[in-house]
Amino acid sequence: MGDAKVIPFDDDRDRSRGAAPGGQSRTGQRARRRGARTGQSAPLTTVPGQQDPGEGDGPGKGGAGPSEAAEDRHGAEQRTGGADGAESRGEGHASGGEDAAAEGALGGLVARLLGDDWEDRAARGLAFLRRRVTGEYEVDDFGYDRELTDQVLMSLLRPVFEKYFRVEVRGIENIPADGAALVVANHSGTLPLDGLMLQVAVHDHHPADRRLRLLGADLVFVLPLVNELARKAGHTLACAEDAQTLLGRGEVVGVMPEGFKGLGKPFADRYKLQRFGRGGFVSTALRTGAPIVPCSIVGAEEIYPMIGNSRTLARLFGFPYFPLTPTFPWLGPLGAVPLPTKWTIQFGEPLPTDDYPPEAADDPMLMFNLTDQVRETIQHTLYKLLVRRRSVFF
């Protein structure tokens, strides 16, 4: 008993933790062995009874106390929250970028479909509708609505002019840049589409931005809806008084002296001019001093090849003729679609009338000679255009 050795409490605690002979723990031995295998030195072990500076149970022992641990946890939470916020901000930026990309793609698609200036055109369209609703637009004493004609009617006729009939316009510079002028053209095609195409040709191709005021037959102004559209488009009754009034204002007036005789002639008589009446258009030009511009239209004769005329139906409906074509009325509404022929409109050199005295309008022989001169000019030009034409459709 006297030789017994007292073992300190700390040594007993270390032994209970698995201390190895030589005063080193098994953990330290394993660390040295790993260092020997990897070529690294083993970390120093803690001396028993002393505390690792990185560990501690309370303040003053080299470790973090409860308050410092709380602060560390709070900092970690803030860092975690900051990371989450950054991630959410990144998601927000990504979402905004995707929305901007979608809007850009949609805008590009709209621009390709409607054109780059679609926003300006939409603004002009809305302003146009506002003026129509509020009545802030003007019409002249003949009912001509220039704004409606320019923005609506011409827009509807232009694709037919450019894409369907592919109209080629020649000699448009022969129409004076200012002042009055009387355009005299041949008439054909069963339906008066040649007059509408003539109006588009002057509207879109004249360098001075002139407008054509057509003279129409009585039938045009008694048909419902057609009457209103014709008035809005600037057409007026084919009478000497209206024509003289328009020419006196310096307008470009269009007339087709053949009338229904030319419009409803059989297909066998195509491009053969009919009588020009009694020369009333020449008298009007002489009284106003307006030059006469002859105009020849090729292509309209074949849009509705008229192979017959039902006089019974014409009398029943009050029409000057009732056309029978290879497609109408046999195919119903489909037969009313015109054939896509290739058109040419050529304006000839103007024939001046201001050199004649005012009383020349009462000279029947002079009127007959001038009428015949204009008719022969148009007929001769038609023949030349037909000789040069490669095909009816090309």
Side-chain angles (χ1 to χ4, degrees):
M1 296 293 291
D3 295 333
K5 184 179 182 179
V6 180
I7 300 173
F9 178 76
D10 291 338
D11 292 344
D12 186 49
R13 183 179 58 185
D14 292 338
R15 187 178 297 109
S16 67
R17 290 181 182 178
Q24 294 179 357
S25 66
R26 294 189 181 92
T27 304
Q29 292 177 352
R30 285 196 298 269
R32 282 196 301 274
R33 286 196 295 269
R34 284 197 301 270
R37 287 195 302 268
T38 60
Q40 297 177 354
S41 61
L44 296 176
T45 59
T46 306
V47 177
Q50 295 183 0
Q51 195 167 14
D52 188 359
E55 297 179 358
D57 295 333
K61 295 184 180 181
S67 61
E68 295 177 357
E71 291 177 359
D72 292 341
R73 288 194 300 271
H74 181 66
E77 292 176 357
Q78 287 183 340
R79 288 192 297 273
T80 304
D84 294 341
E87 183 178 355
S88 64
R89 288 194 298 272
E91 293 178 355
H93 289 310
S95 177
E98 292 175 358
D99 294 341
E103 293 178 0
L106 181 59
L109 177 61
V110 173
R112 285 195 299 270
L113 294 176
L114 304 179
D116 294 335
D117 60 339
W118 69 272
E119 293 182 351
D120 294 337
R121 290 189 285 111
R124 291 195 299 267
L126 293 176
F128 170 78
L129 291 177
R130 180 186 60 79
R131 289 192 296 271
R132 307 311 295 187
V133 172
T134 59
E136 299 176 4
Y137 60 92
E138 297 180 357
V139 297
D140 65 8
D141 49 350
F142 290 97
Y144 175 43
D145 190 334
R146 179 164 180 166
E147 184 183 41
L148 180 67
T149 301
D150 292 348
Q151 298 194 22
V152 178
L153 300 182
M154 290 294 108
S155 298
L156 296 176
L157 293 174
R158 191 170 292 114
V160 181
F161 180 93
E162 296 178 351
K163 306 299 183 181
Y164 197 78
F165 293 134
R166 295 146 290 144
V167 182
E168 179 183 358
V169 180
R170 301 178 181 178
I172 189 68
E173 66 279 358
N174 288 319
I175 298 178
D178 54 8
L182 182 64
V183 178
V184 181
N186 59 306
H187 206 14
S188 63
T190 306
L191 291 180
L193 296 182
D194 52 356
L196 298 178
M197 297 300 104
L198 182 62
Q199 188 175 8
V200 178
V202 176
H203 182 278
D204 287 359
H205 292 268
H206 198 280
D209 197 29
R210 301 300 304 266
R211 303 293 191 274
L212 182 67
R213 307 291 296 272
L214 283 171
L215 304 179
D218 299 351
L219 180 61
V220 174
F221 300 99
V222 298
L223 295 175
L225 184 61
V226 176
N227 172 31
E228 293 296 327
L229 290 177
R231 290 289 185 185
K232 295 290 185 181
H235 304 175
T236 188
L237 189 63
C239 63
E241 292 78 10
D242 289 355
Q244 189 168 340
T245 300
L246 290 174
L247 290 173
R249 297 177 182 178
E251 300 278 0
V252 179
V253 179
V255 61
M256 296 176 167
E258 291 179 280
F260 289 118
K261 299 187 301 295
L263 189 63
K265 63 176 177 287
F267 185 68
D269 296 335
R270 60 190 179 278
Y271 298 113
K272 296 178 181 178
L273 294 184
Q274 306 299 304
R275 290 181 60 251
F276 270 20
R278 292 171 289 185
F281 69 92
V282 174
S283 175
T284 303
L286 289 172
R287 294 183 186 279
T288 57
I292 300 175
V293 181
C295 178
S296 303
I297 303 175
V298 168
E301 295 275 13
E302 295 89 0
I303 60 173
Y304 296 113
M306 186 171 168
I307 58 178
N309 179 19
S310 177
R311 300 183 184 277
T312 302
L313 292 176
R315 287 194 296 269
L316 179 63
F317 290 105
F319 297 156
Y321 56 88
F322 191 91
L324 302 176
T325 72
T327 58
F328 183 82
W330 330 115
L331 298 182
L334 184 61
V337 178
L339 296 178
T341 59
K342 176 72 171 62
W343 287 33
T344 301
I345 299 178
Q346 179 162 335
F347 298 91
E349 295 184 1
L351 178 65
T353 60
D354 52 354
D355 295 336
Y356 295 96
E359 59 272 12
D362 299 326
D363 186 350
M365 185 58 65
L366 177 61
M367 286 195 301
F368 176 80
N369 290 336
L370 291 177
T371 302
D372 190 62
Q373 181 180 351
V374 174
R375 183 180 179 277
E376 289 298 323
T377 301
I378 296 174
Q379 184 69 79
H380 185 64
T381 304
L382 288 175
Y383 287 149
K384 290 195 299 183
L385 294 175
L386 290 172
V387 169
R388 297 173 183 173
R389 184 171 67 168
R390 297 177 300 171
S391 170
V392 174
F393 300 100
F394 303 101

